[in-house]
Amino acid sequence: MRTQQATTSRRKRMSRAEREQQILAVAEEVFAAEGYQATSMDDIAARVGVSKPMLYEYFGSKEGLLLACLQRCKRELIEATTVAAAGADNPEQLMHDCLLAFFKFSDDHAQAWALLRNEAAVPSASVNTELEAIRLQQRDFTAELLRAARPDLDEEQLEAFAEAIIGACERLSLWREQRPEVTPEKATEHLMTLFAPSLTKDL
């Protein structure tokens, strides 16, 4: 009885922001494991330990909850790559560290990565728009890194090269699911072998 009262007390003391993060963490896990279509708001509410009406109060709908999960993934991914970029002092290290940050993100945040990877099939314009926004965010970020390394490239080239890098990262992440022995470091090495020459104008 005392344990139940203590749990209830902790639940009441949790701020709205903390509660939202708790819900998002659980929802991300359930969506990634079960898929969007197979997951119900009842499932998520039960696992969090809140009422289903509270989920609707916070997020409006199951789709709204999925969108909030995707938006959190978007923030976390850009934060990880931005931090990696800040520590680099030359173009090659910059690309290496950002690639490594991406692959580590896909490992350290496997549920978030599964969510980004699997939910493209959700029949929702809003969800697909958010998924594309994540790709565009990383494309634009990558293009800016390339601009610093190769100021001779025009806008079209920067965008095309950034798209190629992002696409390669995504495909290599999928490939690594079948090759678990390929570490983030090894995946980064593979892509550096492919892309590093393009960082030098003379090459």
Side-chain angles (χ1 to χ4, degrees):
M1 184 66 170
R2 183 175 302 169
T3 300
Q4 182 176 358
Q5 288 175 340
T7 300
T8 300
S9 177
R10 285 196 300 272
R11 186 174 300 159
K12 288 180 178 177
R13 287 200 301 270
M14 188 176 289
S15 70
R16 182 184 178 103
E18 290 170 333
R19 177 67 70 198
E20 285 182 354
Q21 290 306 307
Q22 180 194 35
I23 293 170
L24 289 173
V26 172
E28 181 182 303
E29 179 180 353
V30 178
F31 283 141
E34 307 297 333
Y36 177 76
Q37 302 291 353
T39 298
S40 73
M41 293 291 263
D42 287 313
D43 294 335
I44 296 170
R47 296 198 191 194
V48 177
V50 299
S51 67
K52 185 165 70 169
M54 179 178 286
L55 296 185
Y56 283 101
E57 177 189 345
Y58 280 21
F59 301 102
S61 65
K62 186 170 79 165
E63 182 177 314
L65 179 54
L66 175 60
L67 285 170
C69 288
L70 292 173
Q71 287 159 2
R72 189 172 80 149
C73 293
K74 180 180 176 183
R75 289 192 302 271
E76 291 177 346
L77 181 55
I78 196 63
E79 286 169 5
T81 47
T82 298
V83 168
D89 56 12
N90 61 69
E92 186 169 347
Q93 184 185 357
L94 185 66
M95 177 173 279
H96 175 279
D97 292 354
C98 289
L99 290 173
L100 183 59
F102 175 85
F103 290 120
K104 285 186 173 181
F105 177 89
S106 67
D107 280 4
D108 296 343
H109 302 270
Q111 292 162 355
W113 170 243
L115 199 60
L116 295 174
R117 174 173 48 80
N118 292 333
E119 294 309 321
V122 175
S124 163
S126 296
V127 171
N128 289 323
T129 296
E130 187 60 37
L131 286 165
E132 184 61 16
I134 294 170
R135 293 192 78 257
L136 292 176
Q137 168 190 266
Q138 293 306 119
R139 184 202 69 188
D140 292 345
F141 177 77
T142 302
E144 286 304 311
L145 298 182
L146 288 174
R147 189 192 308 279
R150 291 289 307 273
D152 58 300
L153 297 177
D154 62 33
E155 291 302 315
E156 182 178 298
Q157 290 173 314
L158 288 170
E159 188 171 309
F161 293 174
E163 286 278 6
I165 292 170
I166 295 302
C169 287
E170 291 176 354
R171 290 305 307 174
L172 211 62
S173 289
L174 290 172
W175 175 70
R176 288 184 62 227
E177 293 184 4
Q178 309 304 317
R179 298 287 299 272
E181 73 277 10
V182 179
T183 64
E185 290 77 11
K186 190 66 175 178
T188 299
E189 180 183 330
H190 288 323
L191 286 191
M192 286 299 296
T193 301
L194 179 63
F195 288 123
S198 68
L199 297 177
T200 303
K201 183 178 179 180
D202 293 340
L203 298 177

